[in-house]
Amino acid sequence: MTTVTLLAVASLFALACVVLAMLLCTLRLLIGPSAQDRVLALDTLWMCIMLLALMLGIRYGSQIYFEAALIIALLGFVSTIALAKFLMRGEVIE
Amino acid sequence: MSSAEALPWWAAIPVALLLVLGGLMTLIGAFGLARLHSFYQRMHGPAITVTLGAGCILLASMLYFTVAQSRLVIHELLISVFVLMTAPVVAMLIMRAGVYRELRNRSETSAAVDARPDSD
Amino acid sequence: MKRWLPSPLLSISLLLLWLLLNQSIEPAHWLLGSVLGLVAPRLSRPLQPHGQARIRRPLALLRLLRLLWFSAIEIVRSCFNVSQIILLRRSADVNSQFIRVPLDLHSPHGLALLSCLINSTPGTVWVDLLPDGHELLLHVFDLHDEAWWIDTIKTRYERPIIEVFEIPATEGDPG
């Protein structure tokens, strides 16, 4: 066993964990009884996608994934803030 | 497709451990999000994902690229700082949105409770 | 000096951000980063409602570092606590409660730092600052001792922040 296989196994395990976590978030996004549950699930989904990009970067030994992760983190923050603000202000048609 | 480069053992083992721990923490956070019963309890699940899960994987990434390219690669610090600064804001805003919506729903249903008790 | 560098810390961090983003320490990047560090704080000054955070005593920054170190340890510890609760306990058994913590801290920057630290720790979420009596509404994941939480937040988190961000005159007031 070399370090390459060790890292391959570890990153595969971590990838599987994160994909499972994304599935659980999607479940909450679909069944979430209230709107704030869905926003919370969406925010966690953004975070998982960012971690997924970082892990793919380690797995394939490429730094291009870093830029993707940075942009995903920025977009996730802005979109979640917008959604939460929208929920706090109330419905558009009330 | 290029694959992971060969690292010395002293670096590969911490990177592998950090990856496994980060993946597990992410999974536990999402599991809490899916499993817990009330919204206020669910708020606390993703906090694990954001802090320890993201922290471990960012550390693993820094360590891996620093050793693999034999130069200091610490630009993952940017993501760490950004996540540390924004995640509390996001948590507070979602929590407030939940509290305000619940208060509003409660006042609406208590106003309409005389006419229609099971409106929801 | 004061006119061109209204906030040296912010300028230095913008320069560092630029260098990290480009992953190089060539002179050209130092130049571009310095331009960013000089221009961006001046342009964004009208956006800051409370002005720059003023550190009263520079030595108190060491206390701030100690506070950050302590809260990092606390974050890791409560991560494991919360994950244990998520994995092992039934959801109905977990005693999730709102608690109120009376605060003495009034500086807006200090409050921002305090809310960041509390929200980063898994198991506690800052909900709102109640205007009457300046109380903080906090949601705790698994509450077993309300007095312990209030005491921890007041002595471990709030006191160092007050010492760093507020005028020493208010510090003599026994809180």
Side-chain angles (χ1 to χ4, degrees), chain A residues 5 10 12 25-26 28 34 40 42 52 57 61 65 67 72 75 81 84-85 87 89-91:
Chain A
T5 50
L12 194 63
C25 290
T26 316
R28 184 47 80 189
S34 62
L40 185 63
L42 200 60
L52 197 70
Y65 290 93
E67 268 92 26
I72 290 168
L75 273 181
I81 290 288
K85 270 292 191 196
L87 284 189
R89 291 282 167 201
E91 262 63 51

Side-chain angles (χ1 to χ4, degrees), chain B residues 35 37 41 44 88 96 100, chain C residues 86 89 91 119 127-128 139:
Chain B
R35 191 186 87 112
H37 284 185
Q41 290 183 346
H44 298 286
R96 275 193 186 176
Y100 287 158
Chain C
I86 286 177
R89 300 251 296 268
S91 178
N119 267 345
V127 183
D128 211 343
H139 188 260

Side-chain angles (χ1 to χ4, degrees), chain A residues 1-4 6-7 10-11 13-14 17-18 20-22 24-25 27-28 33-37 39-41 43-44 47-48 50-51 54-55 57-63 66 69-70 73-74 77 80-81 84-85 87-91 94, chain B residues 1-9 12-13 15-16 19-20 23-24 26-27 30-31 33-36 39 42-43 46 49-50 53-54 57-58 60-61 64-65 69 71 73 75-76 79 82-83 86 89-90 93-94 96-98 100-101 104:
Chain A
M1 183 162 151
T2 61
T3 54
V4 176
L6 173 71
L7 277 183
S11 61
F13 176 77
C17 280
V18 172
L20 203 56
M22 285 169 70
L24 289 171
C25 290
L27 184 72
R28 184 47 80 189
S34 62
Q36 55 263 33
D37 281 310
V39 175
L40 185 63
D43 179 52
T44 318
M47 188 53 72
C48 290
M50 191 204 85
L51 294 181
L54 282 173
M55 283 178 183
I58 294 180
R59 187 166 167 76
Y60 296 134
S62 149
Q63 285 210 45
F66 167 77
L70 192 61
L74 289 168
F77 172 62
T80 316
I81 290 288
K85 270 292 191 196
L87 284 189
M88 214 171 350
R89 291 282 167 201
E91 262 63 51
E94 205 162 16
Chain B
M1 188 175 288
S2 67
S3 67
E5 293 164 53
L7 298 190
W9 279 103
I13 290 174
V15 169
L19 273 176
V20 168
L24 277 179
T26 311
L27 185 55
F31 184 62
L33 180 73
R35 191 186 87 112
L36 294 172
F39 168 70
R42 269 175 231 142
M43 273 306 297
T49 300
V50 169
I57 290 170
L58 285 163
S61 175
Y64 173 78
F65 283 114
Q69 309 197 351
R71 67 190 177 95
V73 180
H75 59 337
E76 279 85 358
I79 295 185
F82 183 76
V83 165
T86 58
V89 180
V90 166
L93 273 176
I94 296 179
R96 275 193 186 176
Y100 287 158
R101 279 174 67 92
R104 200 164 55 212

